[in-house]
Amino acid sequence: MTTLIEALQVVHIINAILMAWPFYALVAVNQRARLGPPLGDRADIYMENIIKNRTIPCFVFQATALITGVALVALRGQSVEVLLSNPALAAKLLLLVLIIVLLAYVHTSVQPRIDALFTQLEAKPVPGDIAATISALRLRRKRVATVCMFVVLTVSMLGVQVWSAFPVWLTLVLLVAIIVFTWHSYKSVTPYGWF
C-alpha cells in the first residue's frame, strides 16, 4: 500500500507541475503584446491556436488532481470528510473547483467569441470595433489566466501543508510572495524568472 501511495503522490505532484500552463500563457500573451500590430497576423493565429488547444489538457490535469488527491486520502484510511475538515485540503478542493469553473468560462464563453471574431479578420485594416472587442476579450482571458496561476501556486503551497501545516505567518508570507510573482507575471514577460 505504501508504494501505491508514493506512486500516487508522484503523479499528483507531476500533475501540479503540468498545471503551470497559466504562467506560460501569460508569458506568451505578454510577449505577443510586445510585437505590436497588426491584429490577426500569423503570430496572432499561432498564439490563439496554442491557447485554445490547451483547454482540454487543462481539464484532464484538473481531473487527475482531483482523482489522485481523493485517492491519496482514501488510501491513507481516511474518510472523504477529511476533505472538508482539514483546512489545507478544504482550501485545495475549493480552489480546484474555482479553477475548473474559470477554465469552463473561458472555454465556453470567451474563447468562442474570440474565435468568431478572428474569422472576420480578412479585411485589412481590421475594423476598430472588432479590434476593440478582441482586445477586451483577450484582456479578460489574461486576467482569468492570472487568477488561475495564483490558484495553482496557492494550491501547490497548500499541498505541502496538508499533513503538516506551516505557521500562519509563514503561510501569509508565502501567499504574499505568490501574489507578487503572479502580478509580476501579469505585467511582464518575466525576463529574469522570479525577478
Side-chain angles (χ1 to χ4, degrees):
M1 186 66 75
T2 302
T3 304
L4 180 57
I5 290 173
E6 290 168 346
L8 276 175
Q9 284 175 322
V10 169
V11 170
H12 198 69
I13 291 166
I14 289 172
N15 190 69
I17 293 166
L18 294 173
M19 287 176 63
W21 165 245
F23 171 70
Y24 297 105
L26 288 174
V27 170
V29 167
N30 289 332
Q31 191 65 40
R32 174 60 187 108
R34 291 174 77 186
L35 291 175
L39 180 65
D41 66 358
R42 291 178 64 196
D44 269 339
I45 293 166
Y46 178 72
M47 186 186 73
E48 287 300 327
N49 285 335
I50 289 172
I51 290 172
K52 72 180 173 184
N53 289 325
R54 298 310 310 152
T55 304
I56 300 304
C58 286
F59 280 127
V60 171
F61 295 145
Q62 292 163 357
T64 303
L66 179 63
I67 291 166
T68 58
V70 170
L72 285 167
V73 167
L75 290 171
R76 286 189 166 99
Q78 297 178 321
S79 71
V80 177
E81 292 171 0
V82 77
L83 292 172
L84 300 177
S85 64
N86 180 313
L89 281 175
K92 282 181 65 174
L93 182 60
L94 289 175
L95 289 171
L96 180 61
V97 169
L98 172 63
I99 201 170
I100 291 169
V101 168
L102 289 173
L103 182 60
Y105 166 69
V106 169
H107 181 64
T108 60
S109 178
V110 177
Q111 192 63 48
R113 291 169 60 195
I114 292 171
D115 292 342
L117 290 167
F118 261 86
T119 62
Q120 300 175 28
L121 291 186
E122 292 166 12
K124 300 291 181 195
V126 175
D129 60 330
I130 292 177
T133 304
I134 288 173
S135 294
L137 289 168
R138 282 179 159 179
L139 180 59
R140 185 176 306 159
R141 183 180 63 193
K142 180 180 177 181
R143 289 177 176 160
V144 170
T146 304
V147 171
C148 289
M149 180 178 152
F150 169 78
V151 169
V152 168
L153 293 174
T154 302
V155 165
S156 297
M157 186 252 313
L158 291 171
V160 176
Q161 299 187 54
V162 166
W163 307 116
S164 178
F166 295 168
V168 173
W169 69 266
L170 180 57
T171 300
L172 292 175
V173 166
L174 292 172
L175 197 57
V176 168
I178 289 169
I179 290 168
V180 168
F181 181 67
T182 301
W183 180 252
H184 178 58
S185 300
Y186 174 78
K187 298 299 276 179
S188 76
V189 294
T190 60
Y192 303 106
W194 296 106
F195 308 105

